[in-house]
Amino acid sequence: MSSSTAFPGQSPAAETAPLSLCAREPRVPADRLVAEMVPPPRFDSVRFDTYVPDPNQPSQSEAVTMLAGFAAGLGGSHATGAGRRKWFGGRKPAAPTGPRGVYLDGGYGVGKTHLLASLWHATPAEPSLKAFGTFVELTNLVGALGFQQTVQTLSGHRLLCIDEFELDDPGDTVLVSSLLSRLVEHGVALAATSNTLPGKLGEGRFAAVDFLREIQGLSAHFRPLRIDGEDYRHRGLPEAPPPYTDEQVTRAAYATPGAALDDFPGLLEHLARVHPSRYGALTDDLRAVCLTGVTAVPDQSTALRLVVLADRLYDREVPVLASGLPFDRLFSDDMLNGGYRKKYFRAISRLTALARDAKDLVAQ
């Protein structure tokens, strides 16, 4: 650590003080939401040939072959904008028969997002005619543009990729069902990832039986593709480092340009004031996130917000250094056994990987 670096106990110079997530309240314009519907930085360079299937899980190799063929088949006039011209000309293309999409189902850490991003890259179309976003980002796009404008914006696309497809409330079920049905009518191909089969979306989280028609309608758009395997993030790797002390985390934050330093309970309170769709912008230009006093999350709403933040940090490859409880104790047993358990396990897996990435920030 250089002599100019300061931390509590010394007199920190303004230019060396770390950033704070709690001081950020980003506003994301609608045009940015559309422009950023591309694979996140972690998956910008992935391709089918960089996916390493587990030799003990033949479904992984089969998924690569199937998705490569799916991408190759997405040619035709639609990618040139014919679909968009038909929209404004008042003539809709004929609705295709059979599923117009693929649905990657499997546990966390089997490489579904890698495969989804590879499909986006392999599809023969200009980036402006392909869209990639999480489920939260897609619903927020509808909120920013309105339903009809979202249909117009995406209807000329050749492919829409939806990562982390989860239906957490009835309103989202109806909204997404209607949106995807309209896009399929305009010839847009769909691809999605989830830890839940399309016919089981919403199960354990709301009265899915009351919305069975909408859920079955969503399922009809997709051909499920099961991907089995263990979490690649921990395959053959050492255990994540244990939490550090508050002093170690604080020293690392002051010694790392572009790092943010926040008290974990304060960060959880701040996340409640920022819409989850802005969590990506919340992490803009961060080199690391340093957290002191990590505790178990107090309730399910807080836990779900933390899941979204973990996803955005993982997408952007931002290491996380923390003191307090280890990340595998963030969520209560009731949470880990409830309807959102797969989300929580994914968050633990991703935060553990980011904690492993952060170990070099601590002076040896």
Side-chain angles (χ1 to χ4, degrees):
M1 186 168 59
S2 69
S3 59
S4 63
T5 301
F7 49 87
Q10 296 184 352
S11 299
E15 64 270 19
T16 62
L19 305 168
S20 171
L21 290 170
C22 293
R24 294 183 165 195
E25 296 185 5
R27 295 292 182 267
V28 184
D31 57 349
R32 173 174 170 173
L33 295 176
V34 176
E36 291 186 345
M37 293 196 73
V38 297
R42 179 178 287 272
F43 300 99
D44 184 55
S45 61
V46 301
R47 299 294 187 273
F48 287 129
D49 59 6
T50 64
Y51 181 78
V52 182
D54 184 338
N56 297 316
Q57 301 292 345
S59 63
Q60 296 186 8
S61 296
E62 293 167 1
V64 172
T65 300
M66 185 271 179
L67 290 171
F70 184 77
L74 294 180
S77 61
H78 193 73
T80 67
R84 186 174 284 115
R85 288 195 296 272
K86 289 179 181 179
W87 167 265
F88 288 110
R91 293 179 288 109
K92 296 181 180 180
T97 57
R100 181 62 177 165
V102 291
Y103 194 98
L104 310 184
D105 173 62
Y108 54 90
V110 297
K112 299 186 300 298
T113 302
H114 183 135
L115 291 171
L116 188 69
S118 298
L119 173 63
W120 188 93
H121 289 298
T123 296
E126 293 296 320
S128 61
L129 293 175
K130 301 181 286 186
F132 184 108
T134 65
F135 182 83
V136 170
E137 290 167 337
L138 180 62
T139 55
N140 186 64
L141 183 66
V142 178
L145 299 182
F147 183 84
Q148 294 297 340
Q149 184 60 44
T150 302
V151 172
Q152 292 186 26
T153 299
L154 299 178
S155 63
H157 281 52
R158 198 183 303 188
L159 175 69
L160 170 61
C161 295
I162 310 169
D163 200 18
E164 303 157 18
F165 200 115
E166 291 284 354
L167 298 182
D168 295 339
D169 63 64
D172 283 345
T173 304
V174 176
L175 174 67
V176 174
S177 177
S178 300
L179 176 63
L180 297 188
S181 294
R182 292 286 295 275
L183 294 178
V184 168
E185 289 175 1
H186 287 272
V188 180
L190 307 173
T193 70
S194 181
N195 301 318
T196 307
L197 284 167
K200 299 292 186 180
L201 287 166
E203 193 172 74
R205 294 186 285 281
F206 60 85
V209 65
D210 296 334
F211 295 86
L212 187 59
R213 182 181 65 181
E214 284 80 4
I215 294 172
Q216 289 177 335
L218 281 171
S219 181
H221 297 316
F222 296 100
R223 174 171 35 157
L225 182 62
R226 177 71 187 179
I227 304 174
D228 299 305
E230 63 177 292
D231 187 345
Y232 79 90
R233 286 180 286 269
H234 309 301
R235 191 187 305 163
L237 294 175
E239 290 295 319
Y244 296 94
T245 66
D246 287 353
E247 183 181 6
Q248 286 176 306
V249 171
T250 302
R251 283 178 179 270
Y254 275 91
T256 305
L261 175 63
D262 289 279
D263 172 67
F264 186 71
L267 176 60
L268 295 184
E269 292 179 5
H270 184 63
L271 293 180
R273 298 189 290 269
V274 179
H275 191 276
S277 64
R278 300 174 184 170
Y279 289 3
L282 192 69
T283 65
D284 279 352
D285 304 319
L286 288 185
R287 183 177 169 188
V289 166
C290 299
L291 301 172
T292 58
V294 171
T295 62
V297 293
D299 57 73
Q300 191 130 263
S301 295
T302 302
L304 291 172
R305 288 191 289 267
L306 182 60
V307 167
V308 177
L309 178 64
D311 287 337
R312 300 294 78 76
L313 291 172
Y314 182 78
D315 288 344
R316 289 157 176 78
E317 301 180 294
V318 180
V320 178
L321 192 72
S323 66
L325 284 182
F327 288 134
D328 60 2
R329 293 172 59 189
L330 282 172
F331 309 110
S332 69
D333 289 342
D334 286 344
M335 292 178 184
L336 295 178
N337 292 319
Y340 297 103
R341 61 188 177 277
K342 292 180 180 178
K343 285 191 173 187
Y344 297 144
F345 279 115
R346 183 183 76 229
I348 291 171
S349 171
R350 291 184 165 187
L351 288 171
T352 297
L354 295 177
R356 188 181 294 124
D357 293 343
K359 64 181 179 180
D360 292 338
L361 299 178
V362 179
Q364 301 298 318

